[in-house]
Amino acid sequence: MTIMQKVFWLIFSVGNIVALWLYWQTQSVVSALFLLFTLGYSVVGIYDLKFSTHSLNRLYPVVAYLRYFFESYRVEIQQYFIANDTEEQPFNREQRSLVYQRSKNIRDTIAFGTQRNLLEENYRSLWHSLAPTHVKDEVKRVVIGNEQCSQPYSASYLNISAMSFGSLSSNAIEALNLGAKKAGCYHNTGEGAASPYHLKHGGDIVWQLGTGLFGCCNEDGSFNADSFVTTANLPQIKMIEIKLSQGAKPGHGGVLPKAKITQEIANIRHISMSKDCVSPAVNPECTSPKALLNFVQRLRELSGGKPVGFKLCIGNPAEFLSICKAMLETEIYPDFITVDGAEGGTGAAPVEFSNRLGMVCIEGIYFVENALVGVGLRDKIKIIASGKTASSFDLLDKIAAGADVVNAARTMMLALGCIQSRHCNTNLCPTGIATQDPVRSQAIDVEIKSERVKNFHNNTLKNFYELVGSMGLDDPAKLVPQMIKRRSPYGLQMSTGSLVPPLKLGALVNNKVQDEAWKHWWHACSAEQFYVEDLYVLKSPEFNQFHTQGA
């Protein structure tokens, strides 16, 4: 027997006899409580030993429940009492505190120096200038929309990324949209349709059409043009985004657990309440590169010329180049491409998909930037970065890699009061943000939380412009990858992208590419289909460089 089995039998026999005798003799409150304890312990212990399906309960009767209790609070215990300020994932204490402080307009400085290891491999940093300057007001917005678009949109450098009503509560959506209106940025609806809560306060909206086409679909899941026109022409809708994939689960449809599906959500999305809402992995209107671009053109016409683009997480590079080939052949150009990073978050995703698929945001941006330059279309298409942006440096890092503007989702949730409890998929969010429980969601004061969203946005941009100015630049558009330094495995700093040669303007279409990987991907892809076999043996750039020098 285990020690706890012996303890159980001791309490079951001797403990109950002693408790009964004491109660018989004294009939005091203390003796009564002691008797209740031994009897309760005995009943639970007998159940654990004879009927429980858990081996832990059979071997450690009664006390095994202590393990389950503490395990249920493991995240909170680790977060508040064990982890240091820089080691947690996905957002550490330092990052969360920064968001909280900036959202509340309180002091965000640190004392006694950095806690980061500045000599750590791959640590990213900037070189400042001895001639710092100020970013000009007239360059603090980015116009999205090429010559094929008749209603271009002037966007902030930082915006609210895709989060659906259904994934988030109605009050959370309202607070985000009101915050976007106050901050002067846009708010992406996520794939769950443009709900009344997205539209209520009049903040600028990017309407995302997910693979389920929620909000503009027929009962069979096909596209309904009439429904689309009704919503797309609302004045709050500024841009349309077609979702091909997302970084948290590329190659997998969106998932809304049935526990979070209310009748209202079912009506908005035209779905059933009896099962999880799982979007198809492939957008039915975008089954090939040319079909995608034809859909872009169709949505642009139906929306009255508003900017239309698509969102994806980069996987096989040749498959993105197939879209570039289709652009050249059809002469249809999206107004923007949103690059979602594999580090992105969601309320529900298979572990393997979140952990193992897709390029991280910086790699994806750098690749898309060079691909568009290589086919001569970079000036027509804006790049939007989406993936784990907590600080002004995170924002600058993505802009330097090639993005024009940046979307943030989880840090906007932190600004609302999210505590990173990671219960987003249970409907038991402790802060009322990622839940459809009306009691929990009512804890969010829309007006107060919208102020915090605005403050986080404005304070992050303020520090972003100061960082840009500290580098001697008066315009964020002047940022380039070489300005971001990373610590090499050899202990020295090097420019980001320095070992991956960037493409020159039109290099792919003019057959002036020297890099073998780019050559292979370009010749392997087709404008007629997405799929390209991943056969190229990708080597480390350092290996190629040293091999060339040795030769």
Side-chain angles (χ1 to χ4, degrees), residues 29 100 104 110 140 175 205 257 277-278 356 389 470:
V29 173
Y100 297 146
K104 296 175 184 178
I110 61 172
K140 291 183 178 180
I205 287 291
C277 174
V278 181
R356 301 295 178 180
T389 300
S470 74

Side-chain angles (χ1 to χ4, degrees), residues 72-81 88-93 95-97 99-100 103-104 409-424 428-434 440 444 449 452:
S72 69
Y73 289 97
R74 183 189 65 80
V75 173
E76 289 82 358
I77 292 170
Q78 178 175 344
Q79 183 178 118
Y80 292 114
F81 303 111
E88 286 182 276
Q89 294 293 342
F91 292 91
N92 60 43
R93 167 67 59 181
Q95 292 170 317
R96 296 198 309 274
S97 295
V99 176
Y100 297 146
S103 68
K104 296 175 184 178
R410 286 171 292 177
T411 45
M412 293 296 180
M413 292 172 62
L414 291 172
L416 289 178
C418 169
I419 59 172
Q420 195 172 278
S421 66
R422 293 186 286 170
H423 293 310
C424 310
L428 299 175
C429 172
T431 57
I433 296 171
R440 292 173 183 265
I444 298 175
K449 298 302 185 181
R452 294 190 178 180

Side-chain angles (χ1 to χ4, degrees), residues 444-516:
I444 298 175
D445 186 302
V446 172
E447 182 61 37
I448 291 175
K449 298 302 185 181
S450 68
E451 281 293 314
R452 294 190 178 180
V453 171
K454 179 199 74 174
N455 291 340
F456 170 67
H457 172 274
N458 291 351
N459 288 327
T460 301
L461 277 185
K462 175 178 176 290
N463 282 271
F464 166 68
Y465 295 133
E466 288 182 356
L467 269 181
V468 172
S470 74
M471 300 167 68
L473 305 176
D474 60 5
D475 186 347
K478 294 180 179 179
L479 290 164
V480 292
Q482 302 90 289
M483 294 176 180
I484 306 296
K485 314 301 178 189
R486 70 176 180 90
R487 188 70 61 178
S488 76
Y490 316 107
L492 302 176
Q493 283 190 325
M494 65 195 330
S495 296
T496 296
S498 61
L499 294 179
V500 183
L503 295 182
K504 294 183 179 179
L505 185 63
L508 287 171
V509 292
N510 296 323
N511 292 318
K512 293 183 177 179
V513 180
Q514 300 299 318
D515 186 76
E516 289 298 323

